[in-house]
Amino acid sequence: MESFYKNTIDLLETIEETYEKRQLLPCLALLYTGIDVASSLERRPDETTKLAFARWSDAYVMGNSTLPCTSLELYGARCGIVHTFTAKSNLSQKGVREIIHAWGNREAATLQQASDLSKQTNYVAVHIRDLIDAFRHGLADYWDEVIGDEDRRLRVATQVGDWFTKIGRASCRERV
């Protein structure tokens, strides 16, 4: 479980760094990937990636925020950002609203109003800072739940056992 903790802390720190540097597409790619990874840890055998993502998002991201979007819209944004660096996805082509992202001192409500005034009804504005905070709090709640439940901790530990870990050069040389 040390790998889980260390890698997720590294991920959160890197998300913050890219946001502060205004590297918004890498920030969003890491953020949506983080939700994807967390949702995969207890993915049920009969679940698609989309269902696992939505279930985890409903439980840990949406419950920790006042985000104006749904977990399905988050999944559509994840697909668009991760695969094409756009808001477009198969879901948006089927009518699911695309997430447009506000950042910095811009308000999501102002972006939403502009979208609404231009008669662009298939968009929902989300501030990246709000999404980062929701993920951070959701991940903390998830961590606390998993640590407090022996069965879940064992299931997650099995998944995390496949994660990359860092071994310094000195450690590698000592093993040889």
Side-chain angles (χ1 to χ4, degrees):
M1 294 301 285
E2 183 179 325
S3 176
F4 175 89
Y5 182 74
K6 175 65 175 135
N7 285 315
T8 54
I9 293 299
D10 286 351
L11 177 64
L12 288 168
E13 288 175 357
T14 306
I15 288 169
E16 292 291 351
E17 288 169 12
T18 56
Y19 182 75
E20 289 169 17
K21 291 179 181 179
R22 298 179 181 175
Q23 298 168 335
L24 302 178
L25 285 173
C27 175
L28 288 169
L30 289 170
L31 184 55
Y32 287 118
T33 299
I35 297 170
D36 214 19
V37 168
S39 71
S40 76
L41 294 174
E42 293 183 273
R43 183 174 159 193
R44 298 171 184 153
D46 62 333
E47 269 185 327
T48 62
T49 300
K50 177 172 67 174
L51 289 176
F53 184 101
R55 183 174 50 81
W56 197 91
S57 295
D58 281 336
Y60 300 102
V61 177
M62 306 310 288
N64 286 294
S65 72
T66 57
L67 294 174
C69 60
T70 67
S71 59
L72 187 61
E73 291 163 343
L74 280 179
Y75 185 76
R78 165 247 186 237
C79 293
I81 293 294
V82 169
H83 297 293
T84 65
F85 270 0
T86 70
K88 304 239 179 280
S89 69
N90 288 341
L91 287 172
S92 66
Q93 292 173 354
K94 293 176 183 174
V96 173
R97 294 185 303 176
E98 294 177 10
I99 293 180
I100 51 178
H101 298 89
W103 62 278
N105 63 1
R106 303 293 192 254
E107 296 290 328
T110 304
L111 183 58
Q112 187 66 57
Q113 288 172 344
S115 175
D116 294 345
L117 286 173
S118 68
K119 307 284 191 247
Q120 299 295 324
T121 59
N122 205 38
Y123 297 106
V124 58
V126 173
H127 200 284
I128 296 173
R129 173 84 263 151
D130 294 339
L131 188 53
I132 292 169
D133 291 344
F135 176 57
R136 176 184 297 279
H137 294 292
L139 199 54
D141 289 349
Y142 179 71
W143 174 257
D144 288 343
E145 283 182 23
V146 167
I147 291 301
D149 182 325
E150 181 68 18
D151 290 336
R152 288 180 76 191
R153 188 166 41 109
L154 290 172
R155 279 195 309 272
V156 169
T158 299
Q159 295 287 18
V160 172
D162 291 338
W163 284 14
F164 287 108
T165 57
K166 295 178 187 174
I167 300 173
R169 286 184 171 199
S171 297
C172 289
R173 287 189 185 121
E174 290 169 7
R175 290 182 174 185
V176 176

